[in-house]
Amino acid sequence: SSITQFLLLAFADTREMQLLHFWLFLAIYLAALLGNGLIITAVTCDHHLHTPMYFFLLNLSLLDLGSISTTVPKVIANSLWDTRAISYAGCAAQVFLFAFLVGAEISLLTIMAYDRYIAICKPLHYGTLLDSRACVHMAAAAWGSGFITAVLHTANTFSLPLCQGNAVDQFFCEIPKVLKLSCSDTYIREVWLLVVSVCLGFGCFLFIVVSYVQIFRAVLRIPSQQGQHKAFSTCLPHLAVVSLLVSTGMFAYLKPPSISSPVLDIVVSFLYSVVPPAVNPLIY
């Protein structure tokens, strides 16, 4: 309760390297803003894109903008001003927003797989199963699931007494790194919550895999190569985004302690927290 601020991990000790990281993260952030902003603008302004697939893509871009804006601006500011500090409230806000947005994104990617499954495997029922009301309800459910998950994680994490210092071994406030500062055995309840979240995430991933097995079986039955190409072109971007987020996220949280190292932790966290929001617009 006496901790008023946390110290984030510094990328470099020399001023030149700090400025290099400043420009690198600034370029990545601006690219993510531009790419996701263009998708949001295009989907909003073009009435031809007012379809379920692009509606969910709009939500994905909003989530990507939010998640990268939760972590990267603080890194940019700290590199520019040569500081490591983040306030207690700022750290709690990072934990909440990142858990909220990433949790909602995983749910949304699952819904997008369902959208592709209905479009390809049950095209005659597409307009009925995915009308505007159903799309809004599914998107709201994705955002709501992320919010509930974030509330539980944040409440559990910051209700624990912290007595192992205030240095977070990460460039943003990540739940496992904050838990390492706890001096109470009650952190086990948060670990169990993380396990439950990973299991739910794996359930979403399994649903996506089963959906794509059905999709590919249906696509291979399409007689024309042009039809197969069109079907694959609508599915492969989504599959690439899912693969990037799930592979890096699962490795970050499920890798064995024997191969864990500070450098590897930073690289993996960078891959699942910064790269997907910047790369998703290029994939789509």
Side-chain angles (χ1 to χ4, degrees), residues 221-245:
R221 290 197 298 265
I222 297 176
S224 67
Q225 288 188 348
Q226 184 178 1
Q228 289 182 355
H229 176 74
K230 182 178 180 181
F232 277 125
S233 67
T234 62
C235 294
L236 291 181
H238 173 259
L239 197 58
V241 170
V242 171
S243 300
L244 178 63
L245 179 64

Side-chain angles (χ1 to χ4, degrees), residues 32 88 115 118 137 165 196-197 200 214 244 246 270:
Y88 186 93
D115 167 64
I118 297 298
H137 287 169
V196 171
S197 298
L200 291 175
Q214 299 297 321
L244 178 63
V246 172
F270 178 83

Side-chain angles (χ1 to χ4, degrees), residues 201-230:
F202 182 76
C204 292
F205 177 69
L206 189 62
F207 179 87
I208 293 171
V209 170
V210 172
S211 298
Y212 271 101
V213 169
Q214 299 297 321
I215 287 171
F216 289 145
R217 288 176 60 187
V219 170
L220 293 176
R221 290 197 298 265
I222 297 176
S224 67
Q225 288 188 348
Q226 184 178 1
Q228 289 182 355
H229 176 74
K230 182 178 180 181

Side-chain angles (χ1 to χ4, degrees), residues 11 28 44 46 66 69 90 95 104 119 129 142 157 159 173 181-182 197 203 207 216 220 225 239 242 268 280:
F11 281 103
I28 293 173
T44 302
D46 191 344
S69 296
V95 167
L129 295 176
T157 301
S159 65
C173 284
L181 305 179
S182 172
S197 298
F207 179 87
F216 289 145
L220 293 176
Q225 288 188 348
L239 197 58
V242 171
V268 172
N280 286 354

Side-chain angles (χ1 to χ4, degrees), residues 74-96:
K74 186 61 180 175
V75 177
I76 293 173
N78 284 1
S79 298
L80 180 61
W81 301 113
D82 189 18
T83 180
R84 297 170 53 197
I86 183 173
S87 67
Y88 186 93
C91 186
Q94 273 197 343
V95 167
F96 173 79

Side-chain angles (χ1 to χ4, degrees), residues 22-54:
F22 163 76
W23 288 112
L24 174 63
F25 276 94
L26 180 62
I28 293 173
Y29 185 56
L30 291 178
L33 289 180
L34 177 62
N36 287 289
L38 287 174
I39 289 179
I40 293 170
T41 303
V43 175
T44 302
C45 297
D46 191 344
H47 293 287
H48 296 95
L49 300 182
H50 291 179
T51 62
M53 182 176 71
Y54 290 105

